[in-house]
Amino acid sequence: MRTLIKFENIVKEFDGQLVLKGINLEINENEFVTLLGPSGCGKTTLLRILGGFVDQTEGKIFFEDIEISNVPAYKREINTVFQKYALFPHMNVFDNIAFGLHIKKQSKDIIQQKVNKMLRLVGLDGFEDKMVTLLSGGQQQRVAIARALVNEPMVLLLDEPLGALDLKLRKEMQHELKKIQKEVGITFIYVTHDQEEALTMSDKIVVINNGEIQQIGTPIDIYNEPENRFVADFIGESNIIEGFMIEDYQVMFDDKKFECVDYGFDDKESVDIVIRPEDIDIVTPEMGMLKGIIRSSIFKGVHYEMSVETEYRDFIVHTTDYTEPGKEVGLHFFPEDIHVMYKMGTY
Amino acid sequence: MSTFRNLVKPYMLWMGIFIIIPMLLIVFYAFTTKGNDVITVKFTMDNFLKFFDSVYIKVLLKSLNIALITTIVCIILGYPVAYIIANTKQKTQTLLMLLITIPMWINTLVKTYAWISVLSDNGIVNSFLAKLGLAPITMMYTDFAVTLGMVYNFLPFMILEIYTALAKLDRSLIDAGNDLGANKLQIFQKIVFPLSLSGVISGITLVFLPSVSTFVIPKLLGGGQYMLIGNLIENQFITVGEWNFGSAISLIMACIILISMYFTRKFDQDKSENGNKKEVKHA
């Protein structure tokens, strides 16, 4: 795949506060990339810098190997779906979608044709004469997507576009967005704080915290091999434990030695260890690697979320089998379920 | 609920005494002849017919004309000012809007007298011209002076209304326009201006209506011979003592204002059809 966009050491300062601390990132053609992080981590700022709405304090942006750092927003081949859609309230659906084409002075026939094609793509045929203010949130969302895509950009930026929708609609739109992306075959850069959304849709996830990239990888990489405590904690639920490596494939925590699949650390190096709640099995106390007492068991729909108190810490365990609180149990996990990470700030 | 409803009653009484009854009195005067008493009431249409004399119609047309010019000048001067203010920093905006509204705290009469000392034959402007060795210009008692006085007095209302419309404009709409390839001028033409029209319309209402009926400004800056519809009404009541005719003119004016308000409202609704205003209705 060809590199389409390259961020080179992007720094952004707002009133003396560093929002982005030197972002280096490459984005390929036809990729669905998600910038994921908690609110205030700088992900939206990075997107707005790419869109041309905010100037970076330092650093360069390349688009197809041409620097676009100083190209104004209206000249960039990038379109945006804004957080609150930003539809023009004085225009109907057709005129909203046709706005960009009108600006480019395209002929009436072509505009008509392209807008109709977009309306079909987002499933809004027959809505062209409706005023946008009369549409539901989901419909406005579709108009916003159509309005951006009709300009045939090479990149579509989406700034938390599903944030205002209810859960069911959000899930529907997630699949639809992914479908649209495959259909039009362009790069989508998607900003969200919702890790589930990121895991569902992305080809590549960029986890950002405090203006720094924490990890870049596929959803599976990010989930299974979090690079540090922050990523492990932010993506899904996890038990994060401090420990140290005895040698390759041997880690020690809670005064016990465990086999693991990680290597390449220094001997006796302090590490963070993550064990996902669904990777822990509840067994009889004799069979377990750690012993503990179940303190609570909450029904979550598909699984029970249990809190198991052991000598050193409470473990969260997800299991489909109910065990009543107060019972003494053993915890069992396999070597590949133990993920060893570098301590934050040392990698 | 009902206890709250009772609270409205004193207000309704107040409205009745101070608004409804005086209005009814005006209507009563307009349709009767002079010299009525409690027992004999003579109804007539003469007061209205009298108005359709060419002299009075001319006064009416002149009033409408001056008010129209005032309104247009206010839009031309007010829009850029409001636009510039709305695009400054939040703190600067507050300060500038305060400066714009300060003159509104001062009595119209005082402000208009101040203009006399500026415009009169040996006023500030003319003494300055004399120093430069230029011939003095007569400005007092002309249409120019009256229009200037009106523009000066009513401009803050126009700025205030347009500024409010511009300030509440969603900034992300401008980003969206930018994103879709529109340059600054195109964004203004296609997004900012259409969405600020509601402010312009309410500005027109706030400037045009008082300009049509004002009598202080034309009296002071236009002189005793200068006759606009407001002065005509004032004269009928105070100088001539023709309360019946004065009331009839007032009613005619009220009708004209009502009709013009109807049309501006209608225009406003057509423009922002299904826009912000209708959204509220449908919500």
Side-chain angles (χ1 to χ4, degrees):
Chain A
M1 266 196 282
R2 200 162 61 97
T3 303
L4 189 63
I5 294 164
K6 204 165 126 195
F7 291 99
E8 223 176 72
N9 191 33
I10 298 291
V11 174
K12 178 66 193 175
E13 204 182 302
F14 273 127
D15 301 323
Q17 212 181 343
L18 272 181
V19 182
L20 293 174
K21 301 169 184 166
I23 298 281
N24 290 296
L25 178 64
E26 285 186 9
I27 290 165
N28 294 331
E29 243 178 359
N30 303 348
E31 239 183 348
F32 197 121
V33 179
T34 301
L35 307 180
L36 176 67
S39 6
C41 72
K43 56 191 191 300
T44 294
T45 308
L46 189 63
L47 195 80
R48 289 178 65 79
I49 287 173
L50 180 58
F53 309 116
V54 180
D55 291 327
Q56 66 272 31
T57 315
E58 265 176 55
K60 291 174 182 171
I61 312 171
F62 295 90
F63 190 89
E64 293 193 300
D65 295 327
I66 298 162
E67 191 180 345
I68 56 160
S69 310
N70 297 315
V71 176
Y74 70 93
K75 285 186 181 159
R76 295 189 186 187
E77 271 185 81
I78 295 173
N79 285 111
T80 309
V81 176
F82 291 87
Q83 207 159 24
K84 290 193 178 101
Y85 322 138
L87 299 177
F88 305 125
H90 56 303
M91 297 179 192
N92 62 20
V93 170
F94 186 93
D95 289 336
N96 260 283
I97 298 176
F99 189 89
L101 302 176
H102 276 302
I103 295 287
K104 286 187 198 112
K105 304 229 158 45
Q106 301 212 349
S107 80
K108 262 196 169 164
D109 292 348
I110 291 178
I111 291 179
Q112 185 80 43
Q113 223 176 330
K114 284 186 175 174
V115 172
N116 283 339
K117 200 176 128 205
M118 276 304 135
L119 283 167
R120 264 198 305 280
L121 180 74
V122 298
L124 283 179
D125 326 59
F127 279 72
E128 42 270 70
D129 295 331
K130 287 231 168 143
M131 292 309 291
V132 291
T133 43
L134 299 181
L135 301 180
S136 71
Q139 290 166 336
Q140 292 192 16
Q141 177 65 72
R142 287 156 196 266
V143 176
I145 292 166
R147 184 179 69 175
L149 284 179
V150 79
N151 302 292
E152 292 157 15
M154 297 184 72
V155 181
L156 184 70
L157 309 183
L158 301 109
D159 185 7
E160 305 213 16
L162 308 183
L165 305 180
D166 64 65
L167 185 69
K168 194 158 174 284
L169 202 53
R170 201 153 65 214
K171 298 236 159 155
E172 262 176 54
M173 284 305 290
Q174 285 174 12
H175 292 291
E176 197 140 346
L177 273 175
K178 186 73 197 168
K179 200 186 93 196
I180 290 172
Q181 191 251 342
K182 283 198 178 134
E183 227 168 296
V184 293
I186 60 167
T187 304
F188 274 36
I189 303 179
Y190 191 97
V191 161
T192 184
H193 59 261
D194 183 336
Q195 42 105 2
E196 200 206 313
E197 213 165 270
L199 293 173
T200 311
M201 294 193 283
S202 323
D203 297 321
K204 183 154 110 185
I205 296 177
V206 180
V207 185
I208 301 175
N209 188 37
N210 278 331
E212 284 173 313
I213 294 180
Q214 304 295 323
Q215 188 171 359
I216 303 172
T218 65
I220 294 171
D221 284 347
I222 300 264
Y223 190 84
N224 285 343
E225 298 295 332
E227 224 159 276
N228 60 36
R229 178 183 271 262
F230 173 80
V231 177
D233 200 28
F234 194 72
I235 313 282
E237 279 190 82
S238 43
N239 297 292
I240 299 172
I241 307 152
E242 280 178 38
F244 63 89
M245 291 300 281
I246 297 169
E247 55 190 63
D248 283 355
Y249 312 112
Q250 283 252 323
V251 65
M252 183 152 183
F253 62 87
D254 291 1
D255 276 351
K256 277 202 167 77
K257 273 190 215 166
F258 295 91
E259 251 182 76
C260 65
V261 294
D262 299 273
Y263 58 92
F265 294 84
D266 295 338
D267 288 353
K268 302 269 155 68
E269 183 177 343
S270 294
V271 290
D272 280 327
I273 295 133
V274 61
I275 305 175
R276 294 288 181 190
E278 66 272 21
D279 289 339
I280 302 178
D281 295 321
I282 302 267
V283 291
T284 54
E286 305 79 54
M287 299 268 288
M289 302 157 113
L290 292 163
K291 278 189 194 107
I293 295 166
I294 296 181
R295 283 296 167 215
S296 70
S297 184
I298 301 161
F299 182 59
K300 288 278 190 181
V302 179
H303 63 265
Y304 290 92
E305 182 175 301
M306 294 182 187
S307 173
V308 180
E309 189 186 315
T310 65
E311 194 182 340
Y312 289 93
R313 69 192 68 253
D314 290 359
F315 280 89
I316 308 168
V317 180
H318 289 177
T319 165
T320 49
D321 300 319
Y322 179 73
T323 316
E324 65 210 52
K327 203 173 170 194
E328 198 184 355
V329 293
L331 300 178
H332 181 271
F333 33 84
F334 293 101
E336 63 267 29
D337 296 331
I338 298 175
H339 306 294
V340 180
M341 308 175 297
Y342 290 102
K343 278 263 184 203
M344 271 181 96
T346 57
Y347 66 97
Chain B
M1 269 313 281
S2 64
T3 43
F4 281 121
R5 234 171 244 168
N6 283 333
L7 288 175
V8 152
K9 283 177 182 166
Y11 178 68
M12 286 174 69
L13 186 72
W14 173 275
M15 289 256 291
I17 294 173
F18 291 102
I19 298 177
I20 312 262
I21 293 177
M23 294 274 272
L24 288 176
L25 276 177
I26 292 175
V27 176
F28 175 77
Y29 270 104
F31 284 101
T32 53
T33 56
K34 207 175 176 183
N36 279 303
D37 53 45
V38 193
I39 309 152
T40 55
V41 178
K42 280 187 226 131
F43 287 101
T44 178
M45 289 298 287
D46 286 354
N47 298 322
F48 289 94
L49 295 174
K50 189 175 166 189
F51 183 78
F52 291 98
D53 191 305
S54 63
V55 184
Y56 301 123
I57 291 293
K58 259 187 200 160
V59 173
L60 175 67
L61 290 179
K62 186 169 186 181
S63 300
L64 292 174
N65 188 30
I66 295 239
L68 194 69
I69 293 170
T70 303
T71 312
I72 291 168
V73 174
C74 279
I75 295 173
I76 294 170
L77 292 179
Y79 200 101
V81 174
Y83 185 81
I84 291 165
I85 294 176
N87 281 298
T88 56
K89 276 191 213 148
Q90 189 59 48
K91 267 190 183 168
T92 326
Q93 282 184 29
T94 320
L95 181 73
L96 289 174
M97 283 321 290
L98 185 72
L99 288 177
I100 297 283
T101 43
I102 281 176
M104 290 162 77
W105 307 349
I106 296 160
N107 190 294
T108 308
L109 205 61
V110 178
K111 284 188 287 185
T112 310
Y113 268 113
W115 274 110
I116 295 178
S117 69
V118 176
L119 299 176
S120 65
D121 286 348
N122 40 20
I124 296 167
V125 175
N126 276 324
S127 16
F128 182 69
L129 287 178
K131 273 210 174 143
L132 293 177
L134 295 167
I137 307 168
T138 311
M139 284 175 290
M140 279 302 286
Y141 312 126
T142 60
D143 287 351
F144 168 75
V146 175
T147 313
L148 183 69
M150 288 197 190
V151 168
Y152 176 76
N153 265 292
F154 302 130
L155 184 60
F157 295 102
M158 184 64 84
I159 296 175
L160 205 64
E161 288 299 314
I162 298 174
Y163 164 78
T164 311
L166 286 172
K168 72 175 184 203
L169 193 99
D170 187 355
R171 304 294 303 177
S172 68
L173 294 180
I174 294 165
D175 280 349
N178 219 329
D179 185 73
L180 295 166
N183 59 30
K184 276 190 175 166
L185 183 68
Q186 287 167 322
I187 287 174
F188 180 76
Q189 284 174 340
K190 290 177 189 273
I191 302 168
V192 178
F193 186 68
L195 286 174
S196 65
L197 264 186
S198 65
V200 177
I201 301 286
S202 33
I204 289 174
T205 319
L206 282 183
V207 171
F208 184 75
L209 300 187
S211 314
V212 171
S213 52
T214 178
F215 62 91
V216 177
I217 298 165
K219 195 176 183 181
L220 293 180
L221 297 176
Q225 301 301 310
Y226 202 91
M227 201 54 88
L228 291 187
I229 202 85
N231 307 89
L232 188 63
I233 297 170
E234 187 209 7
N235 270 353
Q236 295 307 315
F237 278 93
I238 292 170
T239 322
V240 189
E242 276 279 357
W243 285 32
N244 305 82
F245 185 44
S247 301
I249 306 170
S250 299
L251 274 190
I252 290 167
M253 270 314 295
C255 286
I256 290 170
I257 287 173
L258 223 88
I259 291 165
S260 65
M261 266 176 75
Y262 172 77
F263 278 110
T264 43
R265 281 274 168 85
K266 201 169 154 56
F267 177 74
D268 189 20
Q269 269 168 11
D270 286 349
K271 269 286 159 193
S272 67
E273 185 157 6
N274 298 315
N276 292 335
K277 278 184 184 161
K278 281 211 172 164
E279 186 185 20
V280 176
K281 263 189 229 162
H282 285 269

